[in-house]
Amino acid sequence: MIYLSKFLWKKLVIPLSIAAVVAIFLAYFFPWRGLFINLTVMFIGILLIVCYVDFVLKQHEKSRWSQARALIEKRIYSFATVSSSQFRTAFKISHHVFNEKAMDMENPSSIRKEMIRITQDIILPSADLSVQKLNTEDWKKLISQLRITWESADRLCSVFGNRIEPDKFSLIMEIQDEIWGILSLYSTFPDVIGVPDDELPPKKTGSAIAHKRAMERVISSDIKTILEKTILLLKKLDV
């Protein structure tokens, strides 16, 4: 089946289809039937040529970039895996949660499916409670890893951006933005996030503990968004 881009549909296929219908209509009601029939045939011919040329060019491009595309997909898969695993490690969720029987090391697809299951069924539901349990040392390790993941997303977008499908590209950027939100909040309040409640610096107004809980809710929400986007990204990959 031939799939045309939205641009071609809007700029060529729809206008030419309308022109062909109008030409057929005019040929039925007006005496210059031969002229309008010829116009109809011409418009239909142009449509067929556009579809065929678009199909051939896409197949040619796909063939030329097949090996490179596979390597790019592997890098995106690595990024998505790290985006999830960094929180499994931070939340102290053991690697024993993986179902080894469901994973075939020679079949990347089975590993990807298991990664999706772990992210969706184990890491994601534990986010709220796990964030509250992170201490200052845990946070330092997580922040260090988040910076690495953010830089990895940056490299993917800058180096391979023109070769990554728009939907995958958007997910990578969205994950990166959520990571940046966590990094920014931590950089602004390192004396609050992860600090034990009884060691929090006093606030002039309001409760320091309530302030910390509000930050934890924001961070939990960001983490859950990262994990949800990671699941979507993993599902879109062809590995």
Side-chain angles (χ1 to χ4, degrees), residues 25-49:
F25 177 82
L26 293 174
Y28 184 79
F29 287 101
F30 291 91
W32 305 313
R33 181 169 296 178
L35 171 64
F36 293 125
I37 289 175
N38 287 337
L39 286 173
T40 302
V41 172
M42 182 185 71
F43 290 139
I44 293 173
I46 293 172
L47 274 174
L48 292 174
I49 291 171

Side-chain angles (χ1 to χ4, degrees), residues 157-193:
C157 293
S158 60
V159 178
F160 305 112
N162 62 335
R163 289 294 166 187
I164 299 175
E165 288 88 344
D167 54 346
K168 296 174 186 173
F169 188 87
S170 296
L171 285 170
I172 292 170
M173 291 192 68
E174 288 167 3
I175 291 170
Q176 187 185 32
D177 286 346
E178 295 298 329
I179 289 174
W180 185 254
I182 297 171
L183 292 173
S184 299
L185 189 59
Y186 180 81
S187 297
T188 307
F189 299 101
D191 55 340
V192 175
I193 298 173

Side-chain angles (χ1 to χ4, degrees), residues 21-211:
V21 171
V22 171
I24 293 172
F25 177 82
L26 293 174
Y28 184 79
F29 287 101
F30 291 91
W32 305 313
R33 181 169 296 178
L35 171 64
F36 293 125
I37 289 175
N38 287 337
L39 286 173
T40 302
V41 172
M42 182 185 71
F43 290 139
I44 293 173
I46 293 172
L47 274 174
L48 292 174
I49 291 171
V50 168
C51 291
Y52 179 73
V53 171
D54 182 70
F55 173 75
V56 170
L57 289 176
K58 283 181 178 177
Q59 290 298 107
H60 175 64
E61 192 72 0
K62 184 178 180 180
S63 175
R64 280 201 321 133
W65 280 88
S66 59
Q67 186 175 357
R69 182 177 176 274
L71 293 172
I72 293 170
E73 287 272 297
K74 285 183 179 179
R75 296 200 180 193
I76 297 174
Y77 172 68
S78 177
F79 165 76
T81 301
V82 171
S83 295
S84 171
S85 297
Q86 63 191 357
F87 295 112
R88 180 184 66 79
T89 304
F91 296 165
K92 297 180 176 61
I93 299 173
S94 170
H95 67 277
H96 295 300
V97 294
F98 286 94
N99 182 359
E100 295 182 4
K101 292 182 180 178
M103 295 190 300
D104 179 0
M105 291 304 173
E106 295 181 0
N107 181 8
S109 180
S110 69
I111 301 173
R112 179 172 57 87
K113 289 177 182 177
E114 182 63 6
M115 195 71 229
I116 291 171
R117 185 189 71 82
I118 294 297
T119 305
Q120 186 170 275
D121 298 343
I122 298 177
I123 305 174
L124 187 56
S126 69
D128 290 327
L129 186 60
S130 295
V131 167
Q132 294 181 22
K133 292 181 178 180
L134 296 177
N135 58 37
T136 51
E137 196 59 36
D138 295 332
W139 267 108
K140 287 177 183 178
K141 292 177 182 177
L142 178 57
I143 290 299
S144 177
Q145 178 57 51
L146 286 173
R147 290 196 178 104
I148 293 171
T149 309
W150 189 94
E151 290 169 2
S152 176
D154 214 40
R155 285 193 297 272
L156 272 175
C157 293
S158 60
V159 178
F160 305 112
N162 62 335
R163 289 294 166 187
I164 299 175
E165 288 88 344
D167 54 346
K168 296 174 186 173
F169 188 87
S170 296
L171 285 170
I172 292 170
M173 291 192 68
E174 288 167 3
I175 291 170
Q176 187 185 32
D177 286 346
E178 295 298 329
I179 289 174
W180 185 254
I182 297 171
L183 292 173
S184 299
L185 189 59
Y186 180 81
S187 297
T188 307
F189 299 101
D191 55 340
V192 175
I193 298 173
V195 175
D197 291 351
D198 56 355
E199 296 178 19
L200 288 170
K203 281 177 58 65
K204 291 182 180 180
T205 58
S207 166
I209 295 176
H211 189 218

